């Protein structure tokens, strides 16, 4: 989850969980109209591999080949009520920004900032100030505003001709699935939980029907919509099924979605960004009002993510006229034991 919680509490005792969507709307653009022009090396993307919203930016950055122009800071998998911290780095400080907590970058621009200190966030390195944490716009801008710095062979994840359909699909996925699992997990009443539960699984059934005859959500190539659905599906069995009580079925028991998720997981730029250890530690250790003991489950078995998926039979061209991204940079490889991709 990308938002820190008031006093460490996540469940809404009044019933239905409502996400605070008031993000910093400043954009980094090619023309710099908000005061922040696209410039190689100027900005630092702050993420946690635990967070599905941040995971989107990690994937899109990889697919488009922006690693050399936009550096990435990886916060630890857990945080307190104040902020994400850089406890993975020597001395507990990000080596580029020189800060211990992401909160410092927010306060540098907005002293006393009172909303959630969230990832993903982009920080202006020269000033140390946060620029934006508007995760939904961030990946769209990577595709559009940062185009001059895309790698050769980068896919078009947000093609002009499909944007209306991508936007429509993204909206229902966010409402019913991406945020739907949280509405289940953080519901404060039985009725609120049951409404969220049925809405989630009704939408998963709809997605299964849509994907039964086509390899990707919109068109015949990977788009922004697939990125947004994948980051929830990849966390489903490890976290949402048990921790958030989304337990009608596991992902592994939904044949179409399970094959679709494996197809993407095995696609360069997707599975190689996933750290199951960080994912589980974040949810089970941080959400103490749901899991008071902080005990992190040992399972599930991750080997199934590498099983053949068979979805090539549906056709489709994963990267369109482009090419797969190269392997991750050595300093961005997910540790062995945190993923089935590394023995």
């Amino acid at each position: 989850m990308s938002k820190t919680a008031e006093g460490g509490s996540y469940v809404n005792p009044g019933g239905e969980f409502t996400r605070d969507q008031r993000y910093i709307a400043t954009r980094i653009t090619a023309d710099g109209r908000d005061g922040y022009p696209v410039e190689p090396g100027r900005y630092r993307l702050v993420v946690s591999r635990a967070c599905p919203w941040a995971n989107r930016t990690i994937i899109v950055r990889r697919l488009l080949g922006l690693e050399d122009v936009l550096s990435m800071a990886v916060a630890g998998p857990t945080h307190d009520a104040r902020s994400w911290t850089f406890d993975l780095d020597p001395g507990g400080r990000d080596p580029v920004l020189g800060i211990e907590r992401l909160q410092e970058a927010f306060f540098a621009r907005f002293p006393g900032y009172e909303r959630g200190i969230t990832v993903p966030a982009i920080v202006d390195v020269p000033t140390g100030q946060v620029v934006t944490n508007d995760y939904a716009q961030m990946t769209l801008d990577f595709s559009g505003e940062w185009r001059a710095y895309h790698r050769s062979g980068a896919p078009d994840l947000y093609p002009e001709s499909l944007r209306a359909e991508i936007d429509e699909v993204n909206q229902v996925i966010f409402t019913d699935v991406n945020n739907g699992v949280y509405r289940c997990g953080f519901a404060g009443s039985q009725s609120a939980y049951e409404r969220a539960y049925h809405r989630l699984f009704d939408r998963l059934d709809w997605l299964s029907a849509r994907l039964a005859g086509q390899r990707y959500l919109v068109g015949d190539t990977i788009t922004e919509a697939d990125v947004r659905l994948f980051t929830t599906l990849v966390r489903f069995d490890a976290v949402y099924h048990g921790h958030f009580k989304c337990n009608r079925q596991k992902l592994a028991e939904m044949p179409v979605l399970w094959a679709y998720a494996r197809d993407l997981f095995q696609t360069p730029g997707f599975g190689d960004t996933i750290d199951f250890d960080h994912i589980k530690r974040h949810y089970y250790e941080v959400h103490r009002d749901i899991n008071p003991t902080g005990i992190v489950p040992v399972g599930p078995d991750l080997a199934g993510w590498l099983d053949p998926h068979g979805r090539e039979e549906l056709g489709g061209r994963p990267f369109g006229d482009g090419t797969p991204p190269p392997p991750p940079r050595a300093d961005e490889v997910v540790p062995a034991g945190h993923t089935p991709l590394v023995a």
Side-chain angles (χ1 to χ4, degrees):
M1 186 181 182
S2 61
K3 297 190 75 63
T4 55
E6 294 292 334
S9 176
Y10 293 85
V11 172
N12 175 15
E16 184 171 325
F17 167 73
T18 301
R19 181 176 297 279
D20 180 358
Q21 296 187 62
R22 299 171 297 162
Y23 297 101
I24 301 168
T26 308
R27 292 174 61 187
I28 299 169
T29 58
D31 64 7
R33 57 186 176 271
D34 285 358
Y36 294 96
V38 170
E39 293 180 17
R42 174 171 173 177
Y43 305 100
R44 189 151 172 84
L45 174 65
V46 180
V47 301
S48 166
R49 292 192 184 275
C51 170
W53 321 100
N55 198 173
R56 297 177 183 182
T57 64
I58 302 172
I59 291 170
V60 172
R61 174 177 172 270
R62 280 268 293 123
L63 296 180
L64 300 180
L66 294 173
E67 294 97 327
D68 290 339
V69 298
L70 178 64
S71 68
M72 185 171 75
V74 180
T78 63
H79 60 69
D80 58 23
R82 286 189 290 163
S83 180
W84 296 89
T85 56
F86 297 103
D87 47 283
L88 301 177
D89 293 304
R93 288 184 180 273
D94 178 75
V96 173
L97 299 174
I99 57 177
E100 295 179 336
R101 294 176 171 274
L102 179 56
Q103 184 185 60
E104 296 174 55
F106 279 71
F107 284 179
R109 184 173 175 200
F110 303 107
Y113 186 81
E114 294 181 349
R115 301 202 294 272
I117 308 297
T118 67
V119 291
I122 298 181
V123 178
D124 181 41
V125 175
T127 63
Q129 297 180 359
V130 67
V131 178
T132 180
N133 62 342
D134 187 354
Y135 63 88
Q137 187 62 48
M138 209 177 286
T139 49
L140 299 182
D141 283 345
F142 286 174
S143 285
E145 303 297 330
W146 291 73
R147 187 176 297 273
Y149 299 100
H150 289 183
R151 67 179 175 86
S152 176
D156 189 350
L157 300 176
Y158 196 49
E160 187 76 41
S161 62
L162 297 176
R163 286 184 184 180
E165 186 177 359
I166 292 171
D167 290 346
E168 181 181 352
V169 171
N170 282 347
Q171 183 58 46
V172 295
I173 288 174
F174 170 78
T175 303
D176 298 341
V177 181
N178 299 147
N179 199 45
V181 293
Y182 286 91
R183 282 205 312 271
C184 290
F186 295 153
S189 70
Q190 186 69 32
S191 60
Y193 161 70
E194 290 185 11
R195 285 194 301 272
Y197 172 97
H198 290 297
R199 189 171 178 179
L200 167 66
F201 282 100
D202 285 350
R203 184 59 66 189
L204 292 176
D205 289 343
W206 179 86
L207 287 164
S208 290
R210 183 183 182 96
L211 289 164
Q214 62 190 63
R215 191 170 179 185
Y216 303 111
L217 282 168
V218 182
D220 66 350
T221 65
I222 291 168
T223 68
E224 176 83 17
D226 298 294
V227 175
R228 295 188 182 200
L229 179 57
F230 172 77
T231 59
T232 293
L233 294 183
V234 79
R235 288 161 173 76
F236 202 89
D237 288 1
V239 174
Y240 303 142
H241 178 271
H243 186 58
F244 279 176
K245 306 179 183 70
C246 301
N247 64 350
R248 189 190 78 178
Q249 292 162 293
K250 296 177 181 177
L251 176 66
E253 296 166 345
M254 294 181 267
V256 171
L257 290 179
W258 177 220
Y260 165 80
R262 295 201 313 279
D263 185 5
L264 291 176
F265 186 88
Q266 294 170 30
T267 298
F270 282 83
D272 54 37
T273 72
I274 303 301
D275 188 319
F276 285 102
D277 177 78
H278 282 200
I279 289 168
K280 290 194 299 182
R281 285 182 56 198
H282 171 72
Y283 286 89
Y284 287 101
E285 291 183 18
V286 171
H287 302 158
R288 290 301 178 102
D289 48 348
I290 298 176
N291 186 42
T293 64
I295 293 173
V296 179
V298 175
D301 184 356
L302 301 177
W305 281 102
L306 302 183
D307 288 347
H309 51 77
R311 288 185 61 85
E312 304 95 335
E313 298 175 4
L314 295 173
R317 301 174 301 141
F319 299 100
D321 295 328
T323 57
R329 295 161 50 120
D331 60 347
E332 295 183 4
V333 173
V334 174
H338 294 194
T339 169
L341 291 173
V342 182

